[in-house]
């Protein structure tokens, strides 16, 4: 198995498998984008319907700001980076979504706080005392600027980013959360994750902003890494601001899909920094650890929540299989393989992708189901809802298509575990 | 089947079945109370641990105010009304729980707003912008007064009740919810339900308070009845304050267990008012309708959430089987039968009780499981958590034991559908 013809045959077989997945992923991306283009556009008010039933029927017309921002971002990204999606219909819908956000997302302009959900015509229904609506707003505006060249979108993105950084690093009182004596100063991993993602977004091919936010990026990475606890045996969703484990369920909570998502955010950070040692740590703790603890040995798929001491989680949906941990896992393993060449990661990509395509795809109406029972049966037939929109599925498919293309176009076979070209270049 | 010996045999057989259920229910009540007495008492700080694993092990020491108040109420109720529970250990634990609430529940005394959850030693962790912590606080204080005779508990109960009524009927701004332009003025059925329950609680054998709150009770009943919508074909969880259906998922949401619970609150109201016509309406709309729409034809058990237009609900747990809708259904059907004599309701009591005892009981460690999958498998092995404490199960068992006892001690067989003695007396 080790020399001459067999090795070349193995390589060729692997290329064929990669090629087959690239085609499968690309076709699926087309079907998914077609679903959202057909069913989600609000021609009257701009923005998107995201509460869509199995066949695409709108069952509620509320507009969740996270999902509005994400869909604008996704459309612009596809428009910018895929020749076949470079058409006016996609860009026009993204612009209409962006204008809807500009006009209505902020609850009390010029204040920056955004609503969590709006009526179809843009009146605020609910406000969350977190930064996430504002983060997706920022992503949308930055991509809109990249896709259209209109500077006003970028101004909006940078101003909102500065506000978010102020809330996170300086003074959170503007978010409106009361200070309670018994509430631990907990850091949810989502906060430095989202910020790191924004640093990557704003700094992409933009030296000025990359420089402006470089230190912030390092800070985010350090804060995410603080969630590795218990001598490296667990990644915990919530830790103290000083990086210590918190008491009770809150402290023991694990979310394998979230850890995997943080994993690929960190992998991109490693590429930027040229840090293969950190990369090895990230692969170990944020890719392999959550997979091995979180993969259901009986039915396959990733659990949604776990308790680090193996108590039963109190979230009713803890054992359900959700679409997004699986799309994030696909990205993480393929990125990990692309960067490190470790074939273990490629095998895990195949394992997760096979499960995901088998269980979540809807060959009949397009898009993926979002919520399966522990056993893998469709538990909710909806294609979109308050937390599922045009984002995780197409982002995963688009990124995997790109990464598979890049792997296939490499002149040499993927290297065995060693620094990637990108990391080597920066060393 | 209709005359002479067979009819008497039927009656005797029915008495035997009722007697068997009375014994089963009574034994289960003993086991359930023993579970909480053994595992939940915080000897150091007072109050109760409610985050208990299958065997009773404490997996978190947070104290949820709803559950603290409910357990105080339950213990006092048992102490007062069951000879076999009239022992000091129960009353002492209730008093320690009550003192814990008096000392710590209110976030900023003398303000009345209570926390939703406290640390073990009583520091506030989270505050909800609703009335429910305060409602369970009131129930606890009123029962403590009844059990101990100490007037300071009753003063506390009445003052808190007046504050709640002020928030609901006069000015909700003290709850801290922001007024948002797009948020519909929705009334969750829980609000008039809880208030009606408090009217019943405070007015029990207390002519002065019964008189003070009589009008409020009528108002609550009217508001609950407004949730019957669509020409009587659906009970909706949320309606406008004017009693109209609201748009979207919020408006279409149904919760069969909650409707059944409202059903028996209303049945008690009918007994108080002596209103057999209203009783027939309540049985039809709040007992039979949610059972027929909400009972899972494939696996048995009541769904948690449903959509009035048969869209898939967006709550991930919509098809799960939770313990409390089943305990509420047992109370509702047995009370409906006791009041009306309609044998259909007795058969439904048996059907629900058989399912409930088979699926939720834990013969090994006591108490009931709280959360089953759609198919009836235990999804969460916990016996207590942030929303499950010492309340629905023992309340159901205690009320059923009492009602079964009353049925068995009736001199004549239960009448066929006709006004009950209580209603007749008040006409």
């Amino acid at each position: 198995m080790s020399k001459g013809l067999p090795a070349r045959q193995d390589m060729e077989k692997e290329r064929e498998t990669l090629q087959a997945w690239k085609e499968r992923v690309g076709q699926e991306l087309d079907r998914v984008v077609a679903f959202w283009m057909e069913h989600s556009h609000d021609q009257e008010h701009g923005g998107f319907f995201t509460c869509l039933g199995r066949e695409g029927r709108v069952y509620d017309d509320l507009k969740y700001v996270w999902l509005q921002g994400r869909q604008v971002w996704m459309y612009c990204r596809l428009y910018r980076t895929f020749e076949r999606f470079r058409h006016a219909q996609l860009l026009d819908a993204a612009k209409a979504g962006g204008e809807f956000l500009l006009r209505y997302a902020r609850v009390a302009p010029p204040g920056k706080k955004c609503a969590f959900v709006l009526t179809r015509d843009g009146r605020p229904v609910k406000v969350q005392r977190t930064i996430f609506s504002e983060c997706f707003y920022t992503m949308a505006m930055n991509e809109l600027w990249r896709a259209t060249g209109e500077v006003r979108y970028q101004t909006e993105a940078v101003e909102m980013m500065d506000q978010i950084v102020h809330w996170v690093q300086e003074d959170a009182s503007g978010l409106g959360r009361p200070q309670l004596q018994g509430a631990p100063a907990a850091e949810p991993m989502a906060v430095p994750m989202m910020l790191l993602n924004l640093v990557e977004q704003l700094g992409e091919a933009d030296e000025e902003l990359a420089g402006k936010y470089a230190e912030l990026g390092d800070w985010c990475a350090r804060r995410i890494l603080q969630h590795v606890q218990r001598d490296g045996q667990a990644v915990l969703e919530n830790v103290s601001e000083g990086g210590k484990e918190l008491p009770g369920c809150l402290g023991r909570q694990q979310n394998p899909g979230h850890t995997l998502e943080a994993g690929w955010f960190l992998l991109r950070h490693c590429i930027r920094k040229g840090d293969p040692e950190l990369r090895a740590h990230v692969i170990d703790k944020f890719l392999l650890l959550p997979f091995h603890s979180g993969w259901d040995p009986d039915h396959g798929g990733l659990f949604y929540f776990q308790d680090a001491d193996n108590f039963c989680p109190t979230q009713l949906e803890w054992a359900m299989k959700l679409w997004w941990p699986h799309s994030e896992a696909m990205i993480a393993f393929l990125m990990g393989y692309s960067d490190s060449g470790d074939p273990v990661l490629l095998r895990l990509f195949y394992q997760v992708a096979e499960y995901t395509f088998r269980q979540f795809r809807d060959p009949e109406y397009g898009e993926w189901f979002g919520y399966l029972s522990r056993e893998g049966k469709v538990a909710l037939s909806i294609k979109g809802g308050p937390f599922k929109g045009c984002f995780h599925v197409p982002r995963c498919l688009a990124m995997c298509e790109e990464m598979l293309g890049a792997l296939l176009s490499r002149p040499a076979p993927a290297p065995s575990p060693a620094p990637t070209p990108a990391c080597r270049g920066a060393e």
Side-chain angles (χ1 to χ4, degrees), chain A:
Chain A
M1 291 273 283
S2 60
K3 42 189 159 156
L5 205 63
R8 203 174 312 142
Q9 278 179 341
D10 283 356
M11 271 166 47
E12 265 166 35
K13 210 175 153 207
E14 188 186 298
R15 284 187 66 84
E16 274 169 34
T17 312
L18 290 172
Q19 182 63 41
W21 267 107
K22 179 169 180 291
E23 278 160 27
R24 209 171 164 189
V25 154
Q27 283 162 13
E28 187 63 14
L29 178 59
D30 291 350
R31 294 187 72 230
V32 165
V33 174
F35 180 91
W36 293 99
M37 296 218 10
E38 185 176 345
H39 301 295
S40 74
H41 297 183
D42 181 355
Q43 304 294 355
E44 194 176 332
H45 296 276
F48 307 98
F49 302 119
T50 63
C51 289
L52 304 177
R54 184 179 176 193
E55 311 87 340
R57 185 171 161 199
V58 178
Y59 63 82
D60 199 323
D61 63 7
L62 287 176
K63 288 183 176 154
Y64 292 86
V65 170
W66 294 20
L67 305 190
Q68 301 296 313
R70 284 165 162 184
Q71 191 156 355
V72 170
W73 178 89
M74 193 70 241
Y75 275 17
C76 291
R77 195 89 185 172
L78 289 169
Y79 178 86
R80 278 207 302 125
T81 56
F82 285 78
E83 192 57 42
R84 68 184 192 276
F85 291 120
R86 200 172 186 84
H87 51 73
Q89 207 193 337
L90 213 59
L91 188 62
D92 288 346
K95 284 198 286 194
E99 294 302 322
F100 182 87
L101 284 174
L102 279 173
R103 202 168 311 135
Y104 301 119
R106 283 166 302 159
V107 179
K112 293 287 186 194
K113 191 78 199 79
C114 290
F116 174 69
V117 55
L118 304 164
T119 57
R120 183 182 173 189
D121 60 0
R123 288 166 295 132
V125 176
K126 207 179 272 181
V127 181
Q128 275 190 339
R129 295 176 285 188
T130 62
I131 60 166
F132 304 113
S133 289
E134 294 77 8
C135 290
F136 294 112
Y137 181 97
T138 304
M139 282 173 70
M141 293 302 151
N142 181 256
E143 270 298 327
L144 263 178
W145 165 65
R146 292 173 190 272
T148 64
E150 288 187 46
V151 176
R152 64 193 177 101
Y153 293 128
Q154 176 69 340
T155 308
E156 195 68 23
V158 174
E159 283 181 15
M160 187 61 92
M161 178 69 173
D162 292 342
Q163 173 67 82
I164 295 167
V165 174
H166 176 80
W167 283 330
V168 173
Q169 293 197 321
E170 311 286 328
D171 178 9
S173 63
L175 295 174
R177 251 172 299 169
Q179 297 284 321
L180 292 169
Q181 226 202 318
E187 179 189 78
M189 194 162 67
V191 170
M193 273 177 69
M194 266 311 311
L195 266 189
L196 182 59
N197 193 38
L198 286 177
V199 166
E200 168 81 17
Q201 172 71 36
L202 295 175
E204 185 193 331
D206 185 330
E207 270 186 40
E208 192 193 323
L209 284 189
K212 176 178 175 184
Y213 296 124
E215 223 174 281
L216 177 64
D218 293 341
W219 180 88
C220 292
R222 279 199 309 278
R223 293 293 281 244
I224 299 171
L225 290 165
Q226 281 192 356
H227 290 254
V228 182
Q229 293 284 322
R230 303 188 170 196
D231 290 326
Q233 293 312 298
V235 180
L236 303 177
E237 271 296 295
N238 304 289
V239 295
S240 78
E241 284 184 354
K244 300 275 175 253
E245 184 169 337
L246 296 164
C249 292
L250 184 78
R252 297 193 307 269
Q253 189 187 311
Q254 296 181 290
N255 182 327
H258 214 215
T259 304
L260 284 154
E261 185 178 16
W264 71 257
F265 290 2
L266 286 170
L267 284 180
R268 291 200 304 193
H269 179 76
C270 295
I271 294 171
R272 258 193 333 271
K273 307 289 288 184
D275 189 339
E277 265 178 58
L278 179 57
R279 188 187 68 204
H281 179 71
V282 167
I283 288 173
D284 201 36
K285 302 306 176 195
F286 288 81
L287 271 58
L288 298 175
L289 192 61
F291 182 83
H292 290 128
S293 84
W295 189 259
D296 182 345
D298 298 320
H299 306 285
L302 291 161
F303 290 119
Y304 190 19
F305 291 108
Q306 297 191 292
D307 180 293
D309 284 339
N310 287 315
F311 287 104
C312 175
T314 57
Q315 292 87 358
L316 305 201
E317 66 277 26
W318 77 269
M320 287 177 77
K321 311 294 163 62
L322 271 67
W323 85 106
W324 69 261
H326 297 82
S327 55
E328 298 311 297
M330 283 175 61
I331 297 171
F333 288 125
L334 195 55
M335 193 182 287
Y337 172 68
S338 299
D339 288 358
S340 73
D342 184 348
V344 166
L345 299 174
L346 184 60
R347 284 202 299 276
L348 290 174
F349 166 75
Y350 290 147
Q351 182 180 341
V352 175
E354 287 291 357
Y355 173 89
T356 304
F357 270 62
R358 185 174 67 243
Q359 303 293 134
F360 287 100
R361 272 184 84 230
D362 180 5
E364 205 161 339
Y365 293 100
E367 243 295 316
W368 293 3
F369 296 112
Y371 307 91
L372 313 180
S373 72
R374 181 175 190 160
E375 292 79 13
K377 275 176 62 178
V378 174
L380 279 76
S381 58
I382 57 174
K383 293 291 172 52
F387 293 95
K388 183 172 188 287
C390 177
F391 185 61
H392 286 98
V393 180
R395 179 172 77 169
C396 161
L397 296 169
M399 289 181 70
C400 288
E401 186 181 330
E402 283 177 327
M403 289 189 280
L404 289 162
L407 283 168
L408 285 162
S409 67
R410 280 188 191 171
S416 55
T420 62
C423 289
R424 248 189 255 124
E427 267 163 12

